[in-house]
Amino acid sequence: MSERRGGGNPKTGFDESWYYDTAHGGHDYPALDGSTDADVCVVGGGYTGLSAAIELARKGYSVVLLEGYKIGSGASGRNGGVFGTGQRKDQDELESWLGMDDARKMWQIACDANQLVRDRVAEFNIDCDLKDGELTLAHRERHEGPLWDYAEHLEKNYGYTAKRIVSRDEAAEMLGVETLYGGYLDTCAGHIHPLNLTLGLARAASELGVKIFEETLAGGIQKRNDGVTVKTATGNVQAKYLVIACNGYLNGFHKTPDNYQMPINNFILATEPLGEERGRQINRDDVSVVDTRFVVNFFHNTPDHRLIFGGGENYSSNFPRDIKQFVRKNMLKIYPNLADVKIDYGWGGTLAITMRRMPHFGRDGNHIYWAQGYSGHGIAMANMGGKMVADAIMGQDERFDLFANLTHFPFPGGRLLRWPALVAGMMYYSMLDRF
Ligand SMILES: Cc1cc2nc3c(=O)[nH]c(=O)nc-3n(C[C@H](O)[C@H](O)[C@H](O)COP(=O)(O)OP(=O)(O)OC[C@H]3O[C@@H](n4cnc5c(N)ncnc54)[C@H](O)[C@@H]3O)c2cc1C
């Protein structure tokens, strides 16, 4: 019988990525054994949890962070590394949904999120291959005009000049293939080694006094009048506040956030090293690239001249058995000239999407907070999500509430029944990618 490789399990595939093999000497943190207390208990050792922990510790709060497996073993340590700008939804859509004022606030939060990551990388001296430049290209000719219009819209309405229009000829020169059309280049966005960013944040948190426990799954929450008790297999944490930062790995830990997110799996490969010259031929300026497909392709080169290519997702609870093949066929649609190249790595991870593709923030009473559902756009926004939760705990909740007040829709039918409806919907849209 084939091995079951469940999505939503941080042990599945964490050690299969190129990032894992190139991580900077991970620090091992102990497991929690016994009882402890803190002002804040954070559950989840990805960007959201670590970012909240850093902000709180800096302001003098005592913080205990529980990670069920290893720091970065969730999406934060294995994602595509595309460090984007803006929110997951484009500004014109946010303007229609929320009005211009709130759309502007959302834009500013996204700009601050991008800056937050840059500031932390600089402040904590995190070596994570941060590179500038993200190219967004149309996969159909008819999508080219709207991309150009959007770049203009941002310049006109938000004074954003970092996105410049790229013609299809220039795109072909930059990538050495003619499989995509024109679009825009955003010089504030770029790419990053996501696991080294996460490990660097954990080191910073630890140095600020956060007590990090790995291999410590939080199993239950008991509410008290003055806080919460978080139970683990061999101990518990008593805290005034609980931050739930579990995203696609939440697995029902708290019912309300669970109802508003859907875990889906996304897959990535890394080729063998291509050499400097061939690396430059397929990506002249070493930028990250995304296309306009509903199941988006995203790719960039590594410092050792491999291509990292993300393309393909599934909505089942299991990973495909041969991830390399699963993603390679999408890679060849963009780079048919890489048919001879060996694929060294293939891995997957689980992320949480929301019905409206904007993050879902919330509270349960006065002591429990969460931030989740970045819908595939989380490197900057999950870092910001953690900061916004921390700010809310410290009494500055204007930005948190902007998100918490978004109208989100729960996935119908609870955990089991949401699958068939979601799968049908996602399959429908991914089919449209072909036309
Ligand atoms: C394959 C893939 C590609 C992606 N590509 C990109 C990209 O290119 N650009 C981009 O911006 N975003 C991307 N994303 C999304 C981005 O990675 C996420 O939005 C972001 O990492 C979420 O961070 P987080 O801290 O909220 O969650 P995670 O990083 O998933 O961390 C959650 C953590 O909580 C832990 N946990 C869960 N339950 C418990 C419990 N009960 N007790 C203790 N610990 C628990 C888990 O073990 C996990 O480590 C991608 C995601 C995936 C999976």
Side-chain angles (χ1 to χ4, degrees), residues 10 43-49 66-70 73-76 78-82 216-218 245-247 249 253 266 268 298 349-351 374 376-379 382:
V43 176
Y47 306 137
T48 305
L66 306 180
E67 164 50 48
Y69 186 42
K70 293 284 177 194
S73 59
S76 300
R78 51 168 104 189
N79 62 54
V82 178
T216 304
L217 192 71
C246 304
N247 208 43
Y249 295 82
F253 176 57
N266 190 282
I268 302 178
F298 46 96
T350 303
L351 57 132
Y374 309 99
H377 191 71
I379 296 181

Side-chain angles (χ1 to χ4, degrees), residues 209-220:
V210 175
K211 285 191 206 148
I212 297 178
F213 296 100
E214 288 183 321
E215 311 224 25
T216 304
L217 192 71

Side-chain angles (χ1 to χ4, degrees), residues 169-179 278-284 334-337:
D169 286 347
E170 189 181 1
E173 272 167 36
M174 289 173 85
L175 301 184
V177 285
E178 294 181 358
T179 48
R278 199 168 181 191
R280 212 178 11 250
Q281 276 165 13
I282 65 160
N283 193 334
R284 188 189 67 195
I334 306 285
Y335 286 120
N337 49 340

Side-chain angles (χ1 to χ4, degrees), residues 55-281:
E55 292 296 318
L56 289 159
R58 233 201 256 279
K59 295 280 159 51
Y61 286 68
S62 61
V63 183
V64 164
L65 185 146
L66 306 180
E67 164 50 48
Y69 186 42
K70 293 284 177 194
I71 291 293
S73 59
S76 300
R78 51 168 104 189
N79 62 54
V82 178
F83 175 49
T85 53
Q87 297 290 351
R88 168 67 170 76
K89 264 195 172 320
D90 281 348
Q91 284 306 121
D92 43 358
E93 290 178 78
L94 291 176
E95 288 158 21
S96 316
W97 177 12
L98 306 170
M100 198 64 190
D101 278 0
D102 281 358
R104 277 188 195 288
K105 289 181 190 163
M106 291 287 181
W107 173 255
Q108 192 53 51
I109 290 171
C111 292
D112 293 351
N114 183 282
Q115 192 57 47
L116 177 72
V117 173
R118 291 174 183 279
D119 289 348
R120 290 207 174 129
V121 166
E123 179 184 356
F124 301 124
N125 204 11
I126 301 175
D127 182 3
C128 57
D129 307 331
L130 176 54
K131 287 267 173 158
D132 289 339
E134 180 195 12
L135 197 52
T136 300
L137 297 178
H139 81 287
R140 295 277 178 254
E141 194 170 4
R142 65 177 183 274
H143 297 158
E144 205 176 45
L147 289 179
W148 292 337
D149 292 346
Y150 186 57
E152 233 173 73
H153 180 81
L154 288 181
E155 181 166 355
K156 200 164 137 219
N157 295 287
Y158 296 83
Y160 190 67
T161 51
K163 264 190 203 322
R164 79 163 174 81
I165 284 170
V166 169
S167 70
R168 105 181 46 159
D169 286 347
E170 189 181 1
E173 272 167 36
M174 289 173 85
L175 301 184
V177 285
E178 294 181 358
T179 48
L180 291 167
Y181 294 86
Y184 48 70
L185 176 73
D186 189 327
T187 49
C188 273
H191 59 94
I192 205 160
H193 189 304
L195 179 56
N196 280 334
L197 173 63
T198 317
L199 295 173
L201 293 171
R203 175 176 43 78
S206 174
E207 284 167 11
L208 286 164
V210 175
K211 285 191 206 148
I212 297 178
F213 296 100
E214 288 183 321
E215 311 224 25
T216 304
L217 192 71
I221 306 165
Q222 191 190 330
K223 294 182 190 170
R224 296 181 279 103
N225 286 340
D226 59 346
V228 291
T229 301
V230 178
K231 295 179 180 166
T232 72
T234 56
N236 64 65
V237 184
Q238 319 240 5
K240 181 152 188 222
Y241 299 103
L242 166 64
V243 176
I244 300 173
C246 304
N247 208 43
Y249 295 82
L250 181 69
N251 289 318
F253 176 57
H254 187 297
K255 199 161 173 280
T256 310
D258 200 57
N259 283 339
Y260 286 89
Q261 63 141 283
M262 181 77 211
I264 68 170
N265 305 316
N266 190 282
F267 303 101
I268 302 178
L269 61 72
T271 65
E272 64 181 326
L274 303 173
E276 194 173 343
E277 199 185 324
R278 199 168 181 191
R280 212 178 11 250
Q281 276 165 13

